[in-house]
Amino acid sequence: MNSKATQALEAFQSGMNCAQSVLLPYSTDYNFDDNLAYQISSGFGGGMGRLQKTCGAVTGAFMVLGIHNCKKYSNHQLQTDNNRILIQEFNRKFILEHNSTNCDELIACNLNTEEGQTYAEKNKVKEKICEKCIIDAIEIIESLIK
């Protein structure tokens, strides 16, 4: 596991959501404020505010890819075009690994119900599924931005 994945995992285990955990390890590389990144990504955990839509690890990765392209290209059109390319490739690779990018499909329970919370805790969903999604998101990002 690379150092970014280790940082992301430590962040997640300390209580950050999956989007925050993926975004924050890149703050030094791209020179952005940790606190602002923490705040911006705070609503994306649990599949966007626990709506269980797009996985927070995925949305965090999309944020990193956007920052990467905006730092790399000064031209807005190049930023936009390359964001689409990298996000679509990230999405393809993540789906190959996990069969979905949707939180509800990834974790197979409803976090908004008592039964879902019990299931998640009993089956160690955070440790077995969410942590893997975070690590895989970092690894895919790294493969795309080299």
Side-chain angles (χ1 to χ4, degrees), residues 24 51 85:
L24 287 172
L51 292 171
I85 290 166

Side-chain angles (χ1 to χ4, degrees), residues 16 20-21 25 29-30 48 57 64-65 72 75 90 92 97 107 132:
M16 288 189 192
Q20 292 166 322
S21 300
D29 294 354
Y30 294 111
M48 301 185 153
V64 172
L65 295 172
K72 186 174 181 179
N75 176 285
F90 177 95
R92 185 189 72 75
E97 184 67 30
I107 67 170
K132 178 151 178 39

Side-chain angles (χ1 to χ4, degrees), residues 1-2 5 26 134-144:
M1 187 165 38
N2 71 44
Y26 290 91
I134 289 166
I135 292 166
D136 290 345
I138 296 285
E139 289 176 353
I140 296 168
I141 291 167
E142 291 296 303
S143 76
L144 294 174

